[in-house]
Amino acid sequence: MLQRLSRRLGLLLSMLVLLAATAQAADRPDCSRPFTLALHDHGLLYDSQTGEGIDRDLAEALTRRSGCKINVTLMPRARIWQLIESGLLDFSLSGIRNDTRDTFASFAWYFSNKYYLLVRKDAGVQTLADFDRNPALKLGVIRSFRYSATANRLVDRLDSQGRVSHATTLAALYQVLLDNRLQAMIIEPFDYPTLENARIRAQTMVLEFDDPPVPHGLIMSRKALPPDQQQAWRALVDAMRADGTVTRIFEKYFKPELARQLTQF
């Protein structure tokens, strides 16, 4: 009888160990295949000229933490969203949600920021409403970018009036702004270093959109990753926020106070 009881207890313990191991594995990213992650060229998030940036550092941290192989590439933002939707790309970074994107992507937030209108001083604009009302003024945006609620409404309204110019890179937008072929563009904190350019600083001013900061995060393709793995990667990003990893990455590029403001929300 004691032997039977001992065998049963042994079997029960083995089952508990197996269940615990299974639960632990389900909480971690499944590294049984390599993953794909695309960056886009955007100021301090990633600079294709130097190969450096916040999102590059974050991609490397995700690789170290997960133990998975992640193949990192560079491509235009519009192409990234197309591939995320099709399931041909697993991840991207610094993405924001909207109702359409929620149908094919999920997110793991790691920073939050506000948006601003960079406008030419000679445009005669003192407020966002001034820009909106003047039909002669044009706005430049990155193709497929979305912003905060007020900024999105402005973009959509001006686009319907034929007053929006699309580009694939920020560098292209800055050039046409300086050439006065458009009179404003939407920026965020990752664009601050470019504003130190003497010509841009001399010719522009900044207006703030009256919106709360918008969360940005790891973009995960719903077609490429099952729900449990989306949660596993979300937990990984949450842990990196909680232990200060994300803030330390941002402190490489911003003053500590601004880095904390962006990452602790």
Side-chain angles (χ1 to χ4, degrees), residues 41-100:
D41 199 341
H42 187 167
L44 292 177
L45 289 176
Y46 183 69
D47 184 341
S48 61
Q49 299 298 310
T50 64
E52 298 177 349
I54 290 168
D55 280 353
R56 179 74 197 198
D57 293 352
L58 195 81
E60 292 175 353
L62 287 170
T63 300
R64 288 193 303 270
R65 285 293 189 93
S66 67
C68 299
K69 179 176 177 55
I70 303 177
N71 297 315
V72 179
T73 56
L74 174 69
M75 62 181 68
R77 194 54 147 174
R79 181 62 175 158
I80 287 174
W81 286 114
Q82 291 170 356
L83 293 180
I84 289 285
E85 183 173 10
S86 69
L88 296 177
L89 179 67
D90 297 307
F91 303 117
S92 187
L93 291 163
S94 60
I96 67 175
R97 66 156 301 276
N98 61 29
D99 291 344
T100 299

Side-chain angles (χ1 to χ4, degrees), residues 3-261:
Q3 288 181 336
R4 286 198 302 271
L5 180 59
S6 178
R7 284 196 299 270
R8 288 175 181 173
L9 287 173
L11 179 60
L12 178 60
L13 287 172
S14 298
M15 291 176 63
L16 290 173
V17 169
L18 179 61
L19 287 171
T22 301
Q24 184 177 21
D27 290 340
R28 294 184 57 80
D30 178 2
C31 298
S32 59
R33 68 171 178 87
F35 293 95
T36 53
L37 184 152
L39 304 173
H40 70 292
D41 199 341
H42 187 167
L44 292 177
L45 289 176
Y46 183 69
D47 184 341
S48 61
Q49 299 298 310
T50 64
E52 298 177 349
I54 290 168
D55 280 353
R56 179 74 197 198
D57 293 352
L58 195 81
E60 292 175 353
L62 287 170
T63 300
R64 288 193 303 270
R65 285 293 189 93
S66 67
C68 299
K69 179 176 177 55
I70 303 177
N71 297 315
V72 179
T73 56
L74 174 69
M75 62 181 68
R77 194 54 147 174
R79 181 62 175 158
I80 287 174
W81 286 114
Q82 291 170 356
L83 293 180
I84 289 285
E85 183 173 10
S86 69
L88 296 177
L89 179 67
D90 297 307
F91 303 117
S92 187
L93 291 163
S94 60
I96 67 175
R97 66 156 301 276
N98 61 29
D99 291 344
T100 299
R101 292 173 180 175
D102 283 346
T103 64
F104 60 81
S106 62
F107 301 86
W109 311 122
Y110 60 95
F111 73 91
S112 182
N113 69 256
K114 302 191 75 167
Y115 288 94
Y116 307 87
L117 188 72
L118 181 69
V119 60
R120 289 182 60 93
K121 292 178 180 177
D122 58 11
V125 169
Q126 297 301 317
T127 67
L128 296 172
D130 290 340
F131 191 92
D132 195 357
R133 284 193 296 261
N134 189 336
L137 302 181
K138 292 188 175 181
L139 175 70
V141 300
I142 299 294
R143 196 176 306 279
S144 85
F145 268 35
R146 298 303 283 170
Y147 308 96
S148 62
T150 302
N152 286 336
R153 286 193 293 270
L154 178 66
V155 171
D156 294 343
R157 190 162 53 248
L158 297 185
D159 197 25
S160 70
Q161 301 169 16
R163 294 171 56 191
V164 173
S165 176
H166 295 86
T168 57
T169 67
L170 281 169
L173 284 182
Y174 284 123
Q175 188 56 56
V176 292
L177 180 72
L178 289 172
D179 293 342
N180 202 21
R181 286 181 282 158
L182 58 84
Q183 288 70 48
M185 57 186 285
I186 297 173
I187 61 170
E188 51 192 322
F190 311 102
D191 309 319
Y192 287 173
T194 306
L195 302 187
E196 295 304 312
N197 176 285
R199 285 185 66 200
I200 293 176
R201 188 171 65 249
Q203 296 185 43
T204 62
M205 57 184 288
V206 175
L207 301 175
E208 182 176 332
F209 288 100
D210 189 21
D211 290 320
V214 177
H216 293 58
L218 173 70
I219 309 166
M220 298 175 281
S221 169
R222 293 187 185 274
K223 281 193 175 180
L225 299 169
D228 65 321
Q229 283 302 297
Q230 294 169 36
Q231 182 53 41
W233 285 97
R234 189 174 294 110
L236 190 76
V237 172
D238 288 346
M240 290 168 56
R241 285 186 61 203
D243 68 14
T245 297
V246 173
T247 298
R248 287 191 293 274
I249 289 173
F250 274 69
E251 285 175 344
K252 290 177 56 179
Y253 301 90
F254 294 107
K255 293 180 179 179
E257 181 179 356
L258 181 54
R260 290 191 295 270
Q261 179 183 326

